[in-house]
Amino acid sequence: MKKYEYGVTRVPGRVIFGAGQRAALGRVAASFGKRALICTDSRLGQDPLIDQLVSNLATHGVETKVFDGTQAELPLEGVRECVAQYRKFDADIYIGVGGGSCIDLAKVVSLLMTYPEPVAQYYGEFKVPGSIRPVIAIPTTSGTGSEVTPVAVLADPQRAMKAGISSPELIPHVAICDPELTLSCPSGLTAITGTDALSHAIEAISAIRREPDPGMVMDRVFVGKNTLSDHYALQAIRLITDNLATAVEHGSDITARSAMMLASTYAGMAFSTAGTCAAHAIQYPVGALTHTSHGLGIGVLLPYTMDFNLQASVDVYAEIAEAMGISSAGGPQEAACAMIASVRALLKRISIPSSLKDLGVKPEDLDTIAQQTMSAARLVENNPRKLDIPGVRSILDAAMQGA
């Protein structure tokens, strides 16, 4: 198949990027309605930013309420608490301000304000019956890409692992990406979220390439590797390679912060149609077991999943190497190996652990993790090399040993 024969892009109706662009919120929101609910967390709820946003919305005739109870990993009870508290307010617009959980909360609350419970009926792909109320996403970290994706992930106590709702209806109507909002992000969180963005880009461009059936875009949220997502992924990889370490080590560097926010958005645009693969599939049970952050688990697993996929992805990895500025006279195989080594070096520099032991995983946990990984079918099927339980175990065994 020729490289440029098939492409899919699903993105917000408007993506507004740049320093200071949060000031566009009032006019943007007013184009959708007169009542807005801001979904954020307790830390940001005390930040002057929220008062500034509320004032900006009021200037444009939008009445606003603020829910600042978003919890990490987005437990289902927290979603229901927000819905119950603001059902009577009946907002026209839902504004997620913060990290991925805050943006995902805005998506799911809008969903439940539009369609009835139980929320479990929407888990999986294409289960949302139609349009939800407008969502505006304002990220304050550079990593999840939730501001441009069709996915919301939450923790349901009825399930051993996180549950995902995947539907184009969840793509925010508008993403306002203002890198000034990331200047106060701590170095450790900057490292973790940046690692997540890097994994989105690498897994999107190296996902399986499927035959471009005309109905595929209506049957799969994640269609696999394609020419449009490849473009976004490579742009993200270039930016992250050049700027992640600087953003971690010099958090006030607005140039690096801007590059990382743009990279995160590009990576989100890439994986929102191409999808992710083994690292994400394995992280779900690892995260559920160890209660460690998504990005941290991804960072540990990513190099080992690339080792596993190497022979199925030599040419793609060589293309990534070129985007990272890695030159090799030894051909694609040497370039691919050098790329993986470079990713390892970058993760080490920003203090991402190299072993699952560092996350609290024990040898006796590995069989269960391998079995649970297979339940993330849309990610397992998206991997460029066939992923089965023995294959997952080989990745886990290597990740337990460390590099």
Side-chain angles (χ1 to χ4, degrees):
M1 183 187 302
K2 292 181 181 179
K3 182 176 179 181
Y4 302 111
E5 285 189 352
Y6 183 70
V8 178
T9 293
R10 302 187 188 100
V11 295
R14 281 173 279 181
V15 177
I16 303 168
F17 173 86
Q21 291 304 312
R22 60 191 180 279
L25 175 62
R27 289 187 65 186
V28 169
S31 70
F32 294 114
K34 295 296 184 182
R35 293 183 307 282
L37 176 64
I38 291 178
C39 300
T40 191
D41 58 30
S42 58
R43 182 185 68 83
L44 283 169
Q46 304 302 312
D47 193 287
L49 168 67
I50 299 299
D51 289 337
Q52 293 166 10
L53 295 179
V54 170
S55 177
N56 183 268
L57 288 159
T59 298
H60 292 88
V62 180
E63 180 187 0
T64 307
K65 301 288 186 183
V66 177
F67 176 80
D68 64 0
T70 307
Q71 301 173 53
E73 312 303 324
L74 198 58
L76 178 56
E77 58 268 26
V79 176
R80 288 176 169 152
E81 176 189 347
C82 182
V83 171
Q85 190 170 340
Y86 292 100
R87 172 73 72 182
K88 290 183 179 178
F89 181 60
D90 197 28
D92 305 310
I93 314 124
Y94 295 83
I95 305 170
V97 182
S101 291
C102 295
I103 295 172
D104 283 0
L105 177 67
K107 293 178 181 181
V108 182
V109 170
S110 177
L111 169 64
L112 294 180
M113 290 289 194
T114 311
Y115 301 104
E117 287 264 22
V119 68
Q121 68 184 304
Y122 308 116
Y123 295 164
E125 296 194 348
F126 292 106
K127 300 293 180 62
V128 178
S131 298
I132 63 174
R133 301 183 190 188
V135 172
I136 300 173
I138 305 178
T140 61
T141 64
S142 299
T144 70
S146 184
E147 68 272 11
V148 294
T149 70
V151 179
V153 180
L154 63 158
D156 186 334
Q158 300 300 315
R159 296 186 171 227
M161 297 188 297
K162 288 183 181 179
I165 304 173
S166 301
S167 170
E169 306 294 352
L170 291 189
I171 297 173
H173 292 63
V174 181
I176 300 176
C177 305
D178 186 336
E180 290 181 348
L181 301 183
T182 68
L183 288 171
S184 62
C185 187
S187 60
L189 183 58
T190 299
I192 289 169
T193 55
T195 297
D196 197 18
L198 179 61
S199 74
H200 291 155
I202 290 176
E203 291 205 309
I205 196 172
S206 58
I208 192 171
R209 189 193 292 276
R210 296 182 172 89
E211 282 295 319
D213 183 288
M216 182 164 62
V217 71
M218 303 304 293
D219 296 329
R220 289 180 176 272
V221 172
F222 291 165
V223 302
K225 180 179 176 64
N226 65 88
T227 188
L228 291 173
S229 62
D230 283 1
H231 170 75
Y232 292 126
L234 286 172
Q235 293 297 323
I237 290 166
R238 290 187 183 101
L239 289 167
I240 294 168
T241 300
D242 291 343
N243 294 279
L244 176 54
T246 301
V248 171
E249 296 164 1
H250 305 283
S252 62
D253 187 323
I254 189 61
T255 300
R257 290 293 196 178
S258 297
M260 284 305 303
M261 177 156 276
L262 185 58
S264 174
T265 301
Y266 279 150
M269 290 176 174
F271 94 83
S272 69
T273 51
T276 53
C277 310
H280 280 74
I282 300 170
Q283 190 281 328
Y284 283 132
V286 169
L289 176 70
T290 61
H291 305 289
T292 51
S293 73
H294 171 77
L296 189 64
I298 290 292
V300 173
L301 290 162
L302 180 62
Y304 303 103
T305 60
M306 290 195 294
D307 288 340
F308 177 82
N309 288 324
L310 175 61
Q311 294 311 312
S313 305
V314 168
D315 290 340
V316 174
Y317 286 0
E319 186 177 12
I320 295 172
E322 183 178 359
M324 294 174 68
I326 298 169
S327 59
S328 173
Q333 178 82 20
E334 184 176 304
C337 291
M339 185 277 291
I340 297 173
S342 182
V343 169
R344 278 194 162 93
L346 175 59
L347 297 179
K348 181 178 181 180
R349 177 174 172 178
I350 62 173
S351 301
I352 299 296
S354 64
S355 170
L356 286 173
K357 293 177 183 176
D358 295 320
L359 303 185
V361 176
K362 299 178 175 60
E364 57 266 30
D365 300 325
L366 299 185
D367 284 338
T368 299
I369 291 171
Q371 291 165 4
Q372 290 180 337
T373 293
M374 303 309 294
S375 67
R378 64 191 173 93
L379 306 182
V380 169
E381 294 171 359
N382 220 35
N383 201 63
R385 177 181 172 187
K386 180 178 174 58
L387 194 62
D388 52 20
I389 288 178
V392 176
R393 267 306 304 256
S394 72
I395 295 169
L396 292 170
D397 289 340
M400 285 293 286
Q401 292 295 321

